[in-house]
Amino acid sequence: MFNESHVFSSGPVSRCRDNDTASSGTDKHAFIAWNVNGKSFYHTMYDTLGSIAFAAEYLAANKNNTVVVMNQCIDASSPQAWSPGSVHNYTCTSDIDDFVGGMLELFGIDKQQIFQHPVREGIANLSEATFQCNEWSRTFWHARKLREVFFQSLSPHAPPRNAIIVVERTHGTRSVVNHVQMLLALRQAFPSFDVVNYQGHNYTFRQAAELFRRAVVVVGPHGAGEALLMFCSPGTDVVEFTKVGVANSPLYMAYCNVFQLRFWTVVDANPHLHKHVMYNISVQDVVLTVQAALDDGIGLNSHSYHVTNIHSTLMAPLH
């Protein structure tokens, strides 16, 4: 349905340019990360680190003479509304928490290499800078490269895959109002699997990555939790919730195609009556969809990621 060669990018190229900055002093090469979509976990991972994914090996091999400048995050819908002094960057040096620090560690760069834009005079003297050029945002080539970089830091031995991961999102937009009932029903229906209630704050980034490597099925609403689909093995089934009457993002469906995962959806047909999109998902439909996914081969065949059609008005796999 989505082809990265003509939807998000014109091809698998880095398209960077090198510019001399004419600065004097310490010979440092600065890589300018780019992110105009937001400062949350997903955007830090896919957008900021994605924008420098093709430079990861160079950055890791030249830690003493390279820096990464994290750009200011701005609202892409209204960039003129943000001034450089008013935007707080989630990944600035003083704000790198354990989770983001783990993300950087898995990427192969140190916290000491990170600077916030704009770099204040006297903090770093740069002799060269590499800027990521246009049309990088959300390109699948960068996501593929980012996945490759992350996996170089993980164990080459894949853990046993026995987990059904249920991503918890119970507050704010796209929350699931009957999450607990759904979790209990899945545990009752699939006692031979480890049905895990995933809450991001309970894991380091490495622990979260290893958890998703264990997944045979991932269940949940559209949101940052699904960013970790990058670590799922090919053939893993992903069950995402969608809703009638609102715009449903195809982003993770497209990423499932990129990472060779199998995408399913369970549709919430209840009226949209809240200012936030909230799901009241049929627990029975979730259980039946997970069962159908497991019956279709448990996702262990990396070449079998095209799902079988199910005749139902409320659940259907998307190709």
Side-chain angles (χ1 to χ4, degrees), residues 69-304:
V69 180
M70 298 292 194
N71 73 297
Q72 297 281 9
C73 295
I74 60 175
D75 182 351
S77 64
S78 181
Q80 296 82 5
W82 297 82
S83 63
S86 67
V87 185
H88 178 66
N89 190 351
Y90 178 68
T91 52
C92 70
T93 306
S94 61
D95 253 4
I96 297 177
D97 60 17
D98 291 340
F99 197 83
V100 176
M103 192 187 303
L104 297 176
E105 180 264 330
L106 213 63
F107 189 81
I109 57 180
D110 297 334
K111 292 182 182 181
Q112 291 74 18
Q113 289 176 272
I114 304 298
F115 289 87
Q116 183 183 6
H117 174 81
V119 178
R120 296 191 303 274
E121 186 176 355
I123 297 296
N125 294 312
L126 310 176
S127 62
E128 187 177 24
T130 295
F131 299 87
Q132 184 60 48
C133 301
N134 63 342
E135 292 190 44
W136 65 267
S137 178
R138 296 184 177 178
T139 63
F140 294 154
W141 303 110
H142 287 257
R144 286 170 173 164
K145 183 62 179 178
L146 183 61
R147 184 180 190 273
E148 175 188 312
V149 169
F150 280 146
F151 268 84
Q152 289 173 356
S153 297
L154 295 173
S155 169
H157 306 291
R161 294 177 55 210
N162 63 345
I164 297 175
I165 299 175
V166 184
V167 178
E168 179 176 327
R169 192 180 180 104
T170 54
H171 297 88
T173 187
R174 300 191 303 275
S175 59
V176 181
V177 298
N178 58 338
H179 171 84
V180 173
Q181 296 93 319
M182 180 177 60
L183 179 67
L184 293 176
L186 288 169
R187 285 175 173 167
Q188 182 178 7
F190 306 104
S192 61
F193 290 89
D194 182 15
V195 180
V196 179
N197 185 46
Y198 174 72
Q199 296 173 302
H201 61 267
N202 290 331
Y203 296 82
T204 66
F205 187 73
R206 182 179 288 273
Q207 288 171 340
E210 293 291 359
L211 172 63
F212 275 72
R213 291 182 78 186
R214 291 177 46 217
V216 289
V217 182
V218 179
V219 180
H222 177 91
E226 287 187 299
L228 294 160
L229 296 178
M230 180 179 287
F231 296 103
C232 291
S233 297
T236 300
D237 290 286
V238 177
V239 181
E240 184 181 80
F241 306 147
T242 51
K243 191 172 183 68
V244 170
V246 300
N248 295 284
S249 171
L251 180 64
Y252 288 112
M253 179 176 63
Y255 278 128
C256 282
N257 183 57
V258 172
F259 301 139
Q260 295 189 345
L261 313 178
R262 309 193 306 175
F263 184 90
W264 306 66
T265 186
V266 177
V267 180
D268 178 8
N270 293 296
H272 177 54
L273 300 176
H274 195 274
K275 66 176 181 179
H276 298 301
V277 176
M278 302 178 72
Y279 300 104
N280 188 2
I281 295 294
S282 166
V283 171
Q284 180 184 13
D285 286 332
V286 173
V287 171
L288 288 174
T289 303
V290 172
Q291 185 65 66
L294 295 174
D295 289 345
D296 201 35
I298 207 171
L300 297 181
N301 182 351
S302 62
H303 300 292
S304 177

